[in-house]
Amino acid sequence: QQQVRQSPQSLTVWEGETAILNCSYEDSTFDYFPWYHQFPGESPALLIAIRPVSNKKEDGRFTIFFNKREKKFSLHIADSQPGDSATYFCGCSSFSKLVFGQGTSLSVVP
Amino acid sequence: NAGVIQTPRHKVTGKGQEATLWCEPISGHSAVFWYRQTIVQGLEFLTYFRNQAPIDDSGMPKERFSAQMPNQSHSTLKIQSTQPQDSAVYLCASSLGGASAETLYFGSGTRLTVL
């Protein structure tokens, strides 16, 4: 299932920096784009999501930027904290079927 | 609300044996999803049900894998003749109605190890 491509595979940032995680897709029928995060030993959980009618969605330090023409979207984590260290999965959904990218392992160094 | 319950948490099988994984969705949720998680592939979609009916099984390997939802309170994923490459964490998730923009709530997963 290569419908959703995510990069980078791993990312290390210093505390306070902005982490940028990227996702691209191919299928134009996708109509909902969530990001899930997964902490070690836990299950994935919804972090933030966007519909293609918008090109930006903010929730505190977390922002999704969406480019429908290029079929790309990204998650920006501002003022990264060590507690943000986790694996992040971008998702794309159509007709209720949600597929995920391969994940980005984020480490935030104090 | 206990969340999505998956049993067993860990299962070890020998090559060629059968494995059955169980999932109890959140009460009141009518959509159930199965995913397989590995380091290499990430979260792979396998199949999903809405109101107990199979809707999309496009991610299921055509041989050896099958899923059922005999009632609204549980779903099973069965793997026949398990192979080492089936080793993974199998995650079940449920959502309220199965609409596209709904949040998926994941269970803790079943870690399958095939020796």
Side-chain angles (χ1 to χ4, degrees), chain B residues 5-34:
Chain B
I5 298 172
Q6 289 189 250
T7 55
R9 288 297 304 274
H10 304 274
K11 186 169 183 64
V12 180
T13 66
K15 183 178 176 181
Q17 292 184 328
E18 181 178 288
T20 300
L21 313 180
W22 294 71
C23 172
E24 179 180 330
I26 293 172
S27 178
H29 282 195
S30 62
V32 170
F33 302 78
W34 284 96

Side-chain angles (χ1 to χ4, degrees), chain B residues 38 45 52 79 81 93:
Chain B
T38 61
F45 169 84
Q52 300 173 232
I79 308 172
S81 185

Side-chain angles (χ1 to χ4, degrees), chain A residues 1 31 38 43 96-98, chain B residues 35 37 45 48 58 98 100 107:
Chain A
Q1 297 179 3
D31 60 0
Q38 184 178 29
S43 302
S96 304
K97 174 184 172 181
L98 178 59
Chain B
Y35 289 86
Q37 184 172 19
F45 169 84
Y48 90 94
S58 59
S100 187

Side-chain angles (χ1 to χ4, degrees), chain B residues 7-81:
Chain B
T7 55
R9 288 297 304 274
H10 304 274
K11 186 169 183 64
V12 180
T13 66
K15 183 178 176 181
Q17 292 184 328
E18 181 178 288
T20 300
L21 313 180
W22 294 71
C23 172
E24 179 180 330
I26 293 172
S27 178
H29 282 195
S30 62
V32 170
F33 302 78
W34 284 96
Y35 289 86
R36 177 169 63 183
Q37 184 172 19
T38 61
I39 297 295
V40 174
Q41 297 292 334
L43 279 169
E44 289 181 273
F45 169 84
L46 295 176
T47 186
Y48 90 94
F49 298 83
R50 187 188 303 133
N51 295 321
Q52 300 173 232
I55 303 299
D56 188 324
D57 67 354
S58 59
M60 292 278 274
K62 295 310 176 188
E63 297 180 358
R64 303 188 296 106
F65 283 63
S66 62
Q68 293 183 331
M69 191 162 185
N71 57 60
Q72 64 183 10
S73 63
H74 90 271
S75 174
T76 59
L77 179 68
K78 182 179 293 186
I79 308 172
Q80 295 178 313
S81 185

Side-chain angles (χ1 to χ4, degrees), chain A residues 16-91:
Chain A
E17 290 186 331
T18 296
I20 300 175
L21 290 66
N22 302 297
C23 198
S24 64
Y25 62 96
E26 299 171 0
D27 191 338
S28 298
T29 66
F30 289 139
D31 60 0
Y32 175 66
F33 303 89
W35 284 89
Y36 280 70
H37 59 178
Q38 184 178 29
F39 296 100
E42 298 185 10
S43 302
L46 178 67
L47 175 62
I48 186 173
I50 193 169
R51 288 274 208 186
V53 293
S54 303
N55 56 24
K56 183 180 177 181
K57 176 76 176 290
E58 287 183 274
D59 184 357
R61 298 185 293 109
F62 303 92
T63 303
I64 299 176
F65 292 94
F66 185 82
N67 185 322
K68 186 175 182 178
R69 183 179 62 84
E70 295 188 8
K71 297 182 182 176
K72 295 180 179 179
F73 59 108
S74 60
L75 175 69
H76 291 224
I77 305 175
D79 187 25
S80 296
Q81 302 297 309
D84 296 329
S85 297
T87 300
Y88 292 78
F89 295 95
C90 63

